[in-house]
């Protein structure tokens, strides 16, 4: 019984010593460290921040297409009698692509030509009748003045003159109508020969001899026979997420990575950004779009050259648009910037200043931000590390810009990742030299 009493008394003494050590560790610190043995130092890599260019980019999925592309369809209903091209053929503007049966169109044109000739004869006859009617009116007028003709005969002659004039005018109007019909029939005959509207390459040929093609209407699409694409000028129609589109402007440089060749970027430039978004774009694995069913994207056209012969319309691509650049930014590796809750950080001057700035930016009391996460880096001080709140700027895949919080001579812990995840303010460390790049 006495042995158990002395054992419990010894444990109570150890606990009292540990609590006293924690209470005197630093001003404002009241956390109790129940560990009896010291925490072993963690092996870390520390290096000072460096200066260099940082380029912020955004990525968006897209599809390669030709800038100039024409869908070839028939403007009349007809049976295909000849197809003069094949997929992949290069054509010039005006080259014959497809020939339709011209029998009906030529028959209508011949009928219109015959009607025109008949009307021209009728006009000549009506002109002669008009001339005769004029002479009769003049003759009956003289005879009536001499008393050799009655007034009735003169009136009849004038009626014949009026009827001859009306017949001539009617024949001339019918000729105008027939000329219009002839032009329409000539146009229909011309449309039996479907020619290339531009220089380019034939793609998507979908017509064969013997098929009947139809013209499109408002409610019924016509027969699409093929597409002519100008492969000398290409672009990517990308879908930029609504969270990124405020940063995108016309003229910004871009790089295009084809799914067929992801290692070779193709240089490009933003041509145009759609002013209106659309639903159904590609989801991004970001907090902004997580859990959202209706993803809004904005069509963005990125112009590219076609020096790369691998480019083909319809290819899938990823566009990387350069939205911001800093030529000489003070930065650290991206993994060096970590997040910690405000309540888990020591009550230092730097942390209090961050809390006040953050509270002012969101309009709340600084004491209400205990659950807020703070961007920090761990700075080496002797054999321990200290958490420093930092203000970040631009970032790319490797580095993030540090605008405030550390200086160019501070040694920042940059790895390994597991150690960074476990570090706390005051943790003992054993710094190693960084590996050569």
């Amino acid at each position: 019984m006495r042995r158990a009493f002395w054992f419990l008394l010894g444990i109570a003494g150890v606990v009292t010593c540990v609590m006293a050590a924690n209470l005197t560790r630093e001003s404002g610190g009241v956390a109790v460290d129940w560990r009896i043995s010291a925490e072993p130092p963690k092996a870390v890599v520390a290096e000072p921040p460096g200066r260099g260019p940082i380029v912020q980019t955004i990525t968006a999925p897209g599809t390669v297409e030709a800038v100039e592309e024409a869908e070839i369809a028939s403007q009349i209903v007809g049976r295909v009698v000849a197809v003069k091209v094949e997929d992949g053929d290069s054509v010039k503007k005006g080259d014959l692509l497809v020939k339709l049966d011209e029998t009906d169109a030529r028959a209508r044109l011949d009928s219109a030509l015959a009607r025109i000739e008949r009307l021209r004869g009728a006009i000549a006859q009506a002109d002669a009748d008009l001339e005769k009617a004029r002479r009769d009116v003049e003759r009956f007028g003289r005879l009536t003045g001499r008393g050799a003709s009655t007034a009735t005969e003169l009136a009849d002659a004038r009626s014949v003159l009026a009827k001859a004039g009306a017949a001539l005018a009617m024949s001339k109007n019918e000729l105008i109508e027939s000329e219009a019909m002839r032009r329409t029939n000539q146009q229909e005959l011309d449309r039996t020969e479907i020619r290339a509207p531009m220089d380019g390459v034939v793609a998507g040929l979908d017509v064969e001899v013997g098929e009947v093609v139809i013209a499109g209407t408002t409610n019924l699409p016509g027969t699409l026979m093929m597409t002519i694409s100008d492969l000398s000028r290409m672009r990517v129609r990308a879908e930029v997420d609504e969270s990124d589109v405020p940063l995108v402007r016309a003229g910004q440089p871009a790089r295009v990575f084809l799914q067929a060749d992801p290692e070779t970027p193709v240089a490009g430039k933003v041509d145009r950004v759609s002013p209106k978004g659309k639903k159904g774009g590609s989801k991004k694995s970001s907090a902004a779009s997580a859990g959202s069913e209706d993803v809004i994207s904005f069509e963005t056209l990125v112009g590219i050259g076609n020096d790369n012969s691998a480019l083909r319309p319809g290819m899938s691509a990823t566009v990387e648009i350069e939205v911001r650049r800093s030529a000489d930014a003070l930065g650290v590796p991206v993994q060096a910037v970590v997040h910690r809750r405000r309540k888990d950080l020591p009550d230092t001057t730097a942390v209090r200043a961050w809390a006040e700035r953050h509270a002012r930016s969101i309009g709340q009391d600084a004491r209400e931000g205990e659950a807020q996460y703070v961007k920090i880096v761990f700075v080496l001080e002797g054999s321990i590390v200290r958490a420093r709140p930092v203000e970040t700027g631009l970032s790319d895949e490797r580095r993030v810009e540090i605008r405030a919080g550390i200086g160019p001579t501070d040694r920042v812990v940059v790895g390994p990742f597991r150690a960074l995840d476990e570090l706390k303010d005051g943790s003992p460390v054993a710094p190693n030299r960084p590996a050569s790049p």
Side-chain angles (χ1 to χ4, degrees):
M1 190 69 179
R2 184 176 299 177
R3 183 179 301 174
F5 171 78
W6 287 109
F7 178 75
L8 292 175
L9 184 62
I11 291 178
V14 171
V15 170
T16 302
C17 293
V18 171
M19 292 180 64
N22 277 274
L23 289 172
T24 59
R25 185 176 59 178
E26 60 178 68
S27 60
V30 294
V32 178
D33 189 352
W34 297 98
R35 295 170 299 183
I36 298 177
S37 61
E39 178 185 356
K42 298 182 183 299
V44 297
V45 177
E47 61 183 33
R51 288 196 171 274
I54 295 180
V55 179
Q56 182 177 351
T57 61
I58 65 166
T59 58
T63 304
V64 179
E65 64 180 26
V67 175
E68 294 187 9
E69 190 173 74
E71 294 182 341
I72 307 302
S74 177
Q75 294 179 281
I76 61 173
V77 178
R79 182 174 58 86
V80 177
V81 296
V83 179
K84 301 294 185 180
V85 293
E86 294 182 356
D87 254 337
D89 286 353
S90 296
V91 295
K92 297 293 184 181
K93 182 178 180 179
D95 288 352
L96 181 61
L97 304 176
V98 177
K99 177 67 175 174
L100 304 181
D101 186 4
E102 63 178 28
T103 304
D104 292 342
R106 184 165 293 280
R108 287 190 291 269
L109 178 59
D110 292 341
S111 176
L113 292 173
R115 178 177 172 81
I116 289 172
E117 292 301 322
R118 180 175 61 81
L119 287 172
R120 284 174 179 168
I123 289 173
Q125 182 179 351
D127 193 41
D129 291 342
L130 180 63
E131 184 63 27
K132 179 181 179 299
R134 287 196 186 102
R135 292 195 305 268
D136 289 344
V137 169
E138 292 177 0
R139 182 168 57 84
F140 279 110
R142 289 193 301 269
L143 292 174
T144 302
R146 296 173 185 175
S149 178
T150 64
T152 302
E153 291 176 329
L154 177 59
D156 290 343
R158 288 174 177 171
S159 297
V160 172
L161 175 62
K163 290 172 66 176
L168 178 61
M170 186 171 58
S171 296
K172 288 182 177 180
N173 288 332
E174 288 182 359
L175 178 62
I176 294 174
E177 181 183 1
S178 297
E179 288 284 357
M181 187 62 68
R182 180 196 62 80
R183 290 193 297 270
T184 300
N185 293 331
Q186 181 65 56
Q187 191 177 54
E188 288 188 359
L189 180 62
D190 294 340
R191 287 174 176 173
T192 61
E193 293 184 348
I194 301 174
R195 298 182 178 273
M198 55 181 283
D199 297 350
V201 176
V202 176
L205 182 65
D206 190 21
V207 64
E208 296 180 355
V209 174
E211 292 184 7
V212 176
V213 295
I214 61 174
T217 62
T218 303
N219 299 320
L220 180 64
T223 304
L224 179 62
M225 294 182 286
M226 69 188 76
T227 301
I228 305 295
S229 302
D230 181 6
L231 301 185
S232 63
R233 296 177 58 205
M234 306 290 282
R235 67 186 178 192
V236 177
R237 188 178 296 272
E239 295 181 355
V240 177
D241 191 85
E242 61 179 323
S243 60
D244 295 329
V245 77
L247 304 175
V248 181
R249 299 286 185 275
Q252 290 175 334
R255 295 194 301 170
V256 177
F257 295 88
L258 302 175
Q259 187 173 355
D261 186 11
E263 301 298 327
T264 306
V266 180
K269 184 176 68 174
V270 176
D271 290 338
R272 188 169 69 251
V273 182
S274 174
K276 183 179 180 180
K278 64 176 184 178
K279 293 183 179 181
S282 298
K283 278 193 175 183
K284 294 176 62 179
S285 56
S286 62
S289 60
S292 175
E293 295 297 331
D294 294 331
V295 180
I296 305 299
S297 62
F298 289 76
E299 279 192 349
T300 302
L301 300 181
V302 178
I304 53 179
N306 197 13
D307 298 334
N308 187 349
S309 59
L311 284 173
R312 293 289 186 275
M315 281 185 165
S316 298
T318 299
V319 177
E320 187 179 89
I321 302 173
E322 179 183 318
V323 294
R324 291 175 181 168
R325 172 184 286 269
S326 179
D328 188 28
L330 183 69
V332 297
V334 291
Q335 71 272 12
V337 179
V338 295
H339 293 77
R340 293 292 188 270
R341 286 186 299 180
R342 164 71 179 87
K343 66 179 183 180
D344 295 334
L345 297 177
D347 190 20
T348 62
T349 302
V351 174
R352 287 196 300 270
W354 176 90
E356 291 174 359
R357 288 195 305 271
H358 180 73
R360 285 196 300 268
S361 66
I362 62 176
Q364 70 173 19
D365 190 282
R367 291 170 296 179
E368 298 176 0
E370 292 296 318
Q372 298 291 338
Y373 279 86
V374 187
K375 290 181 180 180
I376 66 167
V377 296
F378 287 103
V379 177
L380 190 65
E381 292 185 4
S383 60
I384 63 173
V385 291
R386 293 298 182 188
R388 297 268 191 92
V390 292
E391 293 183 10
T392 59
L394 305 184
S395 63
D396 56 22
E397 294 179 352
R398 298 183 300 108
R399 300 174 68 241
V400 58
E401 179 184 12
I402 303 298
R403 293 181 175 175
I406 59 173
T409 59
D410 290 327
R411 296 185 65 193
V412 178
V413 177
V414 298
F417 176 78
R418 182 172 181 179
L420 280 168
D421 189 49
E422 296 174 352
L423 282 181
K424 298 179 181 179
D425 184 81
S427 294
V429 294
N432 298 329
R433 299 185 63 182
S436 300

